[in-house]
Structures are given as C-alpha cells and as structure tokens.
Amino acid sequence: MLSLSSLFGPSPFKPLQAHMEQVTTCAKEVPALFEALIVGDREALLEQQKKIAELESGADKIKNDLRQHLPRKLFMPVDRRDLLEILDLQDTIADVAEDLGDILIARNWVVPSEMKGPLTGFVAKAVETAVAANTVMNQLDELVEVGFAGPDVDKALVKIREVLDLEEESDELELTVTKYLFDHEEELGAVSVILWLRIFELIGDLADYPKKVCNRLRLLIAS
C-alpha cells in the first residue's frame, strides 16, 4: 500500500481515489463468496470471507488516514465536506462486501437450483456497477485540474450515466430473484425468505452506493 505522503502529493484526491480502488477490490471478491456458497464449499467460503475482511480493513486505514490529514480548508473548487461525504459513500461499499461475507458464513444456506443463475447474475451486475464507478473516480484529479470544465467533464458525465444504467439493471435483477422467493415462499419457509431478502438488499447496496458516489460527483461537476 502506498504511503499517505505519496498518495497526497499536492492534494487529497489521490488518497480518495486509492480508497475507491480498495473498496472496489473488496466488491470484486464478492462473486467468489457466492460461487463457494452455491457449490457448498464451506472452506472456500470461510477463506473468501476472511480475504474480504482484510481488504475492508485496508480500506478503513486509508479512510482514517485521509480523515486525519485532510486540511480544514482546501484551496480548491471542492469543499472538505463534499470530499468526506464521498469518502463515506465509498467506504460503505467495502462495509457491504464485508457484511455479505459475515452473513454467508453465519448460517448453512441452501441455494435453490432455480435461483442459482439469477443470483449469480445479480451479484455480477452489482459488482460491475462498483467497477464502473471506480473508473469514474479515477478521473477525479483530472477533472479538478481542468476546473470541472471542458471535454473531460463531458466524458465523465457519460461514464456516470453508464453507472446509473448499470444500477438500474441491478435493480431489475433484484426484482427477479425476489419474485422467485415470493413464488416459492411456502416451500422455502418464512425465515429463509426473510434472510434471503436481507442478502438481496446487501447485494443491491453493492450497486446502490457506487451510484450514490457518482451522483455526488455529478453534483460537484454541476456546482
């Protein structure tokens, strides 16, 4: 991991981008969690949960260092509160990935065969949303340099729109797996349905918070 001083350089945007990179790395490990769950590999599931927890801890370190060293006043077109809000939204992505790992090892889950494909697709789409948002955040320092104006901004807005579209696709996939639950409520049992709904909510958050990061960045561009 890069030292804080090398990340900061002349501004706080590099560590903010490094944090987004780290939380995206957490999200990218989530599909392997569900792969292990679906095939019933408990050992692989536990290993993957531990890996995500370690990555989330790394994200927390960057977050805490950034909060501690972020100047009270920035001589830039970005308010300190805006940066901290983006930081918190980003951090939730890693928290959600860790929460998914924790809940999946807490119980012996049975994944209905008809739900395996839709569930895998839902997870993949949520992670794709996070990866796309990271691509947008990688442009933040360049956008600041040009004062949030010019062709680079137009390109960033297109990328943000792509993130929002991916999140909408994730919502549609969530509806598909949720409908399956309700269609098979009696055979699955009320407790299983409730717990699966919680998992679906977390997977949805894995796409929703990248969308929120991009929406916040869009407001910065427009201000």
Side-chain angles (χ1 to χ4, degrees):
M1 186 178 297
L2 295 174
S3 67
L4 187 65
S5 59
S6 65
L7 286 173
F8 261 103
S11 79
F13 299 109
K14 286 296 184 183
L16 186 67
Q17 291 170 308
H19 180 261
M20 185 62 180
E21 185 73 34
Q22 182 75 4
V23 303
T24 304
T25 301
C26 290
K28 288 164 69 174
E29 295 297 334
V30 170
L33 269 177
F34 284 89
E35 290 171 11
L37 181 74
I38 287 172
V39 301
D41 190 337
R42 179 73 178 177
E43 183 177 347
L45 184 65
L46 290 169
E47 289 178 358
Q48 197 63 17
Q49 182 269 342
K50 181 180 179 182
K51 184 176 184 179
I52 291 174
E54 291 173 351
L55 289 169
E56 191 277 337
S57 179
D60 276 348
K61 184 179 187 304
I62 298 174
K63 175 191 67 177
N64 293 333
D65 285 347
L66 178 53
R67 282 177 174 169
Q68 181 179 354
H69 294 89
L70 188 63
R72 289 290 172 183
K73 293 184 179 180
L74 299 175
F75 297 100
M76 295 181 183
V78 180
D79 190 275
R80 183 178 189 273
R81 290 171 297 181
D82 292 328
L83 291 180
L84 290 174
E85 182 178 348
I86 292 174
L87 179 65
D88 285 341
L89 291 172
Q90 291 181 170
D91 199 59
T92 304
I93 299 169
D95 291 340
V96 168
E98 185 176 38
D99 288 346
L100 279 167
D102 291 344
I103 195 171
L104 291 184
I105 68 168
R107 182 177 189 260
N108 291 322
W109 299 87
V110 176
V111 185
S113 57
E114 294 179 18
M115 199 173 78
K116 291 178 181 179
L119 177 61
T120 300
F122 178 28
V123 172
K125 186 61 65 176
V127 173
E128 184 182 357
T129 308
V131 172
N134 183 45
T135 300
V136 175
M137 286 302 298
N138 280 338
Q139 302 177 50
L140 178 58
D141 55 337
E142 298 171 7
L143 296 175
V144 171
E145 287 180 7
V146 298
F148 294 121
D152 287 341
V153 171
D154 294 334
K155 293 177 183 178
L157 290 173
V158 170
K159 292 294 185 181
I160 288 173
R161 181 68 256 176
E162 291 175 2
V163 172
L164 303 187
D165 289 343
L166 287 169
E167 194 275 335
E168 289 181 4
E169 293 174 19
S170 174
D171 282 347
E172 292 172 1
L173 292 171
E174 183 174 3
L175 286 174
T176 299
V177 291
T178 300
K179 185 178 184 301
Y180 174 87
L181 281 183
F182 290 143
D183 288 345
H184 299 80
E185 186 175 353
E186 289 188 7
E187 58 192 89
L188 292 172
V191 173
S192 289
V193 168
I194 291 170
L195 292 174
W196 273 115
L197 287 174
R198 174 56 182 156
I199 290 176
F200 295 167
E201 180 183 6
L202 287 170
I203 299 170
D205 284 345
L206 211 56
D208 190 45
Y209 277 91
K211 179 193 74 173
K212 290 180 178 180
V213 168
C214 287
N215 276 335
R216 196 68 194 83
L217 181 57
R218 185 167 59 174
L219 288 176
L220 283 182
I221 292 173
S223 61

